[in-house]
Amino acid sequence: MPNILEVDGIHTFIGQFHILEGVSLAVPQGSITALLGRNGAGKTTTLRSIMGLNPPREGAIRYAGEPIQGKTAFQIAAKGIGYVPEYRAIFRALTVEENLKIAERQKGDLAKRSDLIFELFPDLKRFYRLPGGQLSGGQQQMLAIARALVPDNRLLLVDEPSEGLAPIIIEAIVAALRQLASHATVLLVEQNFRMASMLADRYYILDDGQSVHSGQMADLVNDRPLITKYLGAGYAGTPVTPTPERSN
Amino acid sequence: MVASLRRNRALWITAAIVLLVLFWMTRRYEPKVTASILLSGLTLGSLYFLMGSGLSLIFGLMDVLNLAHGALFMIGAYVGFTTYANPRLILNMLPLALALLGGAMIGRWLGGFLPPTLKRGWANRALLAALLLLSLALAVIGLRAFDLAPLAAATATATGGAVATELAQEASGVYLPRIALLAGAGVLLGVALTRLGKAEARRRARAQTAIVGLLVLGVAFAIVPLRSPVEVFLLGLSTNARFLLALLIGVLAGAGLGGLIEVSLIRPLYGRPLYQILLTLGLGFALTEMVKSVWGTPGYYMDIPAFFASSGDNCPSPNLLAWFSDHCQSISVLGRPFPSYRLFIIALGVVMFVAILLLLQRTRLGIIIRAGVQDSEMVQALGINVRQIFTLVFAIGTGLAAAGGVAAAPFLGVNLGLGAELQLQALISVVIGGMGSYIGAAVGALLVGFARAFGDQLVLAGIHLPWAEDVVRMSPSIARASTVLIMALVLLIRPSSSRCSPASRSMRARPSSGREWSSRCSSWRCTP
């Protein structure tokens, strides 16, 4: 399968801090690729660099063979990349409908996709006219994912969709993401290793701003020393329990 | 409900105080006095709103506190007045401005032909700086001995209309070279603004820009011989038509200047709030000086258009319905005459409020603006060019201020201090209503307007304290201080800002996302 996204040795700074020190990864078309690593390893910054929100100073990013580094975020998004940021950055003052509508790139995008969205997330149909801020955490996460589905995105960057959610809601999100993979390629950042291992085909491990390991997810699950080394001992036990709910 | 009460505590407390005062007023004063205080408050509130809504929208969306807003209000007043009383100045300045603009567009296209090897570097930067200087020099030569001050002077006649100066139009032989020189200055400016090493920026500078630039340039030359006929035509129009035109031109000038300021001066400073505040503050002074150099220090008085100025036998009109047929200068409100033009100011405020509200609630642009107020970065990540939206909202905001300026001109007069005073009151009203909140800006403007009108009344009538024999007279400064007192009260109740709760703020500080280094956290605005 050709790679839809190739990141080649990017270096990204936030202020004076050198956050990414040479991250490289390749995302095959149609796959779910997980980006793993400890807190502060640079996973979120990698997604933001791809999206053009923290542009890298060095290195190359190619989307569908075309270099996109140096472009502004809206140009990158318009090429067909959807971004589901951490902490469910939905627009709290906007209704569910408006939250979806704002993601339209052409008139009628939402109408085309609404069946799929409501099938994945029936709750959104129920609360269509409610302000996003009044939804529960899980519903907000669903809205954030649904928003990335409205335009015809070929690649979705999903950042920690399970964060702060109850296990039962995580399951719903997992089911949705799995369905979603039939429509688009997914690059998933996830702290919850169990969830990542259930979803992803391939993985990359980041450590201290560098990509240190990659391979097939099926191999990683049985490689306890590797998991312990880069992801922490807590991940090594089987079955791996979801991380406890965190408050913001 | 409780949450919203708590979030808007400052607003509710201020509203409660105003209601209390209103209740006290109805007991203390005759109804006609109360009514006229309220109408005066509405008039002032309307002006504060026209100024404050733009301030609030701009601050909400881009975290820019535009301290030059008052200057744009004042420019609106000056441009409106000039269109109304002396279109000659506008007609003489228009071709020059168009030439500069058209030239800059062509220059931007030419800049795309600079060799791509031209990277950032001191030598190349010096080259562009030299071009910039050369462009300035050309502009200065082009404007040499072009004395705007006599052109700006208009004399009022006894019949209520104003006539233009006696100064003859500059001969085309002198005037056309000016346009050519300014067009040349524009071209150099456009080239000088080329961003080095930005391949993307080069590709965007397409030939369309140059074609539009040529068209603009053509228009600039074409309207030169039309200056006199158009002036005669405009001065022959009724004062009502001229007033509408003044409103239109004033708004266009304010919005255009605002858009230009955003693109050229504010855009490079996003994420640096301190620089922005210094910039807009300085810009306010600079714009005031510019107005002073064209229009001079003494103020002008703009006549009320005939639609609001009739003074027949049946005046003042007994009610609003009768006013529509006789257009009296004032309308009798419960037996006390109230100037009808001030009702127009109120109506303008209401119309603008509803129009912008519909824009925000019903259109895609409105959805984008409301979303951008919370998180403009996420809007960008959805594939929307937020920078364009920023420029548009800045232009809308300054256009609203300019509309307020034109409307205020016949009411408050046209002078250099017009903007500063209103900007302070508008800022207070925006702080009360909650920075970034549109409806908050409207409510805040009303509260400040009422406070001001009530303060004026107290100063005028004095206050009768139950334990004192005489009526206690107060200094007029009390009226001005009243609004500042309200703001102090609001800031005491909620020091950070009236809509920022600690919880929502901690949500914003996101580890490892880099947002904490951006302007967002250092600013004191949070969204509801």
Side-chain angles (χ1 to χ4, degrees):
Chain A
M1 260 179 297
N3 293 326
I4 189 162
L5 179 76
E6 285 168 345
V7 176
D8 204 356
I10 55 169
H11 287 253
T12 301
F13 292 72
I14 295 178
Q16 292 173 355
F17 297 92
H18 197 161
I19 306 291
L20 299 187
E21 305 176 15
V23 169
S24 300
L25 46 95
V27 179
Q29 189 152 7
S31 71
I32 299 186
T33 302
L35 203 52
L36 307 170
R38 288 196 177 92
N39 267 340
K43 305 181 298 285
T44 295
T45 308
T46 304
L47 293 194
R48 289 176 58 86
S49 289
I50 297 169
M51 211 56 220
L53 297 170
N54 284 131
R57 283 200 199 164
E58 274 175 53
I61 304 172
R62 281 180 298 277
Y63 169 73
E66 182 193 355
I68 56 168
Q69 79 274 14
K71 290 194 189 302
T72 51
F74 80 91
Q75 288 168 324
I76 292 172
K79 289 189 183 302
I81 303 182
Y83 180 47
V84 183
E86 60 182 342
Y87 300 108
R88 313 179 275 278
I90 59 151
F91 303 113
R92 291 189 294 276
L94 268 54
T95 64
V96 170
E97 181 184 13
E98 287 168 335
N99 262 291
L100 295 173
K101 212 155 189 130
I102 193 175
E104 282 190 331
R105 276 194 206 118
Q106 271 142 22
K107 240 185 151 72
D109 274 354
L110 179 57
K112 259 185 263 167
R113 285 300 182 96
S114 55
D115 286 346
L116 171 72
I117 288 169
F118 293 147
E119 187 200 322
L120 287 175
F121 311 112
D123 273 5
L124 296 186
K125 192 169 190 175
R126 267 174 60 207
F127 301 120
Y128 207 48
R129 311 237 173 245
L130 217 60
Q134 291 184 20
L135 300 181
S136 73
Q139 289 160 347
Q140 291 190 1
Q141 185 63 63
M142 293 170 191
L143 180 54
I145 296 173
R147 187 175 60 186
L149 278 177
V150 170
D152 207 5
N153 283 326
R154 288 169 62 201
L155 174 66
L156 297 180
L157 312 178
V158 185
D159 198 353
E160 306 232 7
S162 73
E163 179 145 45
L165 299 181
I168 186 156
I169 295 166
I170 294 182
E171 267 168 44
I173 304 262
V174 167
L177 284 175
R178 204 171 265 156
Q179 268 225 33
L180 209 147
S182 59
H183 296 271
T185 311
V186 177
L187 178 58
L188 174 73
V189 164
E190 189 49 73
Q191 282 277 352
N192 182 341
F193 182 65
R194 182 184 146 94
M195 176 171 170
S197 63
M198 282 193 298
L199 276 170
D201 320 315
R202 294 176 52 78
Y203 72 90
Y204 280 86
I205 293 179
L206 296 191
D207 196 46
D208 264 349
Q210 289 172 325
S211 30
V212 291
H213 218 278
S214 68
Q216 297 295 323
M217 200 57 166
D219 303 333
L220 179 67
V221 176
N222 299 318
D223 194 345
R224 288 200 190 176
L226 194 68
I227 295 177
T228 316
K229 185 172 175 200
Y230 289 117
L231 305 177
Y235 290 100
T238 26
V240 186
T241 48
T243 47
E245 226 173 290
R246 269 200 273 161
S247 63
N248 288 319
Chain B
M1 182 64 200
V2 176
S4 112
L5 261 179
R6 190 177 298 167
R7 198 163 50 227
N8 298 326
R9 189 164 48 173
L11 199 60
W12 297 122
I13 291 179
T14 325
I17 293 172
V18 168
L19 279 177
L20 263 176
V21 168
L22 189 65
F23 177 71
W24 181 77
M25 250 173 9
T26 52
R27 304 284 303 269
R28 172 81 178 67
Y29 297 119
E30 292 171 69
K32 66 177 183 186
V33 179
T34 311
S36 95
I37 295 173
L38 287 180
L39 282 173
S40 295
L42 270 175
T43 313
L44 287 172
S46 175
L47 289 179
Y48 297 156
F49 167 75
L50 287 170
M51 183 96 124
S53 55
L55 266 179
S56 185
L57 273 177
I58 291 169
F59 187 81
L61 189 62
M62 19 194 149
D63 285 353
V64 174
L65 186 58
N66 180 23
L67 292 177
H69 220 66
L72 284 152
F73 182 93
M74 176 190 69
I75 287 177
Y78 271 95
V79 170
F81 161 72
T82 310
T83 313
Y84 182 75
N86 178 18
R88 167 166 298 191
L89 179 72
I90 304 285
L91 290 169
N92 271 285
M93 281 164 80
L94 192 63
L96 299 176
L98 286 179
L100 194 68
L101 182 71
M105 290 170 101
I106 295 170
R108 191 145 172 74
W109 172 66
L110 284 176
F113 288 104
L114 288 179
T117 47
L118 206 62
K119 290 274 180 203
R120 293 156 197 250
W122 286 112
N124 293 327
R125 281 190 188 169
L127 178 76
L128 294 193
L131 278 177
L132 200 65
L133 273 179
L134 204 59
S135 140
L136 258 177
L138 268 189
V140 168
I141 296 171
L143 291 173
R144 202 183 36 159
F146 184 60
D147 205 348
L148 286 169
L151 274 177
T155 44
T157 61
T159 49
V163 291
T165 89
E166 297 291 307
L167 208 72
Q169 296 279 23
E170 210 171 39
S172 296
V174 187
Y175 192 69
L176 285 176
R178 289 191 196 286
I179 300 180
L181 280 166
L182 275 167
V187 171
L188 288 180
L189 184 71
V191 176
L193 292 181
T194 306
R195 284 155 76 198
L196 290 175
K198 289 260 176 179
E200 186 58 30
R202 283 164 198 285
R203 236 175 294 141
R204 255 185 296 154
R206 275 166 295 190
Q208 283 148 313
T209 325
I211 295 169
V212 176
L214 271 177
L215 275 176
V216 171
L217 211 56
V219 171
F221 278 102
I223 56 180
V224 170
L226 297 176
R227 282 176 301 165
S228 289
V230 171
E231 184 185 347
V232 170
F233 169 75
L234 286 180
L235 287 174
L237 288 173
S238 75
T239 51
N240 302 329
R242 262 190 288 150
F243 181 72
L244 275 182
L245 192 72
L247 207 54
L248 185 74
I249 304 272
V251 169
L252 283 180
L257 197 58
L260 211 63
I261 288 170
E262 197 276 341
V263 170
S264 58
L265 296 174
I266 294 181
R267 192 171 273 192
L269 293 180
Y270 281 123
R272 286 187 271 178
L274 191 63
Y275 288 69
Q276 286 167 350
I277 289 199
L278 286 176
L279 173 88
T280 57
L281 185 67
L283 192 65
F285 291 129
L287 288 174
T288 308
E289 284 306 311
M290 254 169 62
V291 168
K292 199 197 269 183
S293 72
V294 175
W295 279 278
T297 315
Y300 297 89
Y301 180 74
M302 181 166 160
D303 294 305
I304 293 172
F307 200 69
F308 305 97
S310 162
S311 51
D313 294 337
N314 45 355
C315 284
S317 310
N319 55 49
L320 199 60
L321 213 62
W323 177 81
F324 275 104
S325 55
D326 51 30
H327 303 306
C328 278
Q329 203 165 5
S330 43
I331 299 174
S332 161
V333 178
L334 301 175
R336 202 187 217 204
F338 187 81
S340 59
Y341 181 75
R342 296 191 195 175
L343 291 180
F344 165 75
I345 295 181
I346 296 172
L348 184 73
V350 172
V351 166
M352 287 298 174
F353 171 72
V354 174
I356 300 285
L357 194 65
L358 285 178
L359 175 85
L360 285 175
Q361 297 292 340
R362 293 268 182 272
T363 65
R364 178 171 167 80
L365 176 66
I367 294 178
I368 294 173
I369 293 173
R370 280 186 293 140
V373 167
Q374 185 196 321
D375 188 348
S376 61
E377 189 178 67
M378 190 60 226
V379 174
Q380 174 107 333
L382 290 173
I384 294 159
N385 187 353
V386 171
R387 288 286 162 97
Q388 267 176 12
I389 308 281
F390 281 7
T391 311
L392 195 62
V393 168
F394 207 90
I396 291 175
T398 51
L400 276 173
V406 182
F411 169 43
L412 300 171
V414 185
N415 56 66
L416 293 169
L418 187 61
E421 165 70 13
L422 270 144
Q423 174 168 297
L424 180 65
Q425 306 294 344
L427 255 176
I428 292 170
S429 74
V430 169
V431 169
I432 292 173
M435 279 297 216
S437 155
Y438 177 70
I439 297 193
V443 177
L446 277 185
L447 292 181
V448 172
F450 285 141
R452 190 67 203 268
F454 181 65
D456 283 338
Q457 170 66 25
L458 271 188
V459 168
L460 204 70
I463 188 166
H464 191 92
L465 296 171
W467 60 86
E469 295 269 312
D470 301 322
V471 171
V472 181
R473 303 258 168 217
M474 284 181 292
S475 142
S477 349
I478 294 288
R480 260 176 282 153
S482 62
T483 54
V484 184
L485 281 175
I486 291 180
M487 184 171 78
L489 190 75
V490 168
L491 290 179
L492 279 175
I493 300 167
R494 184 141 282 198
S496 51
S497 113
S498 52
R499 299 194 81 164
C500 193
S501 66
S504 62
R505 180 181 289 181
S506 64
M507 281 281 286
R508 290 194 152 262
R510 296 169 184 184
S512 82
S513 70
R515 305 205 85 198
E516 60 264 54
W517 313 113
S518 77
S519 70
R520 297 213 159 255
C521 275
S522 51
S523 76
W524 38 295
R525 192 256 357 232
C526 284
T527 43

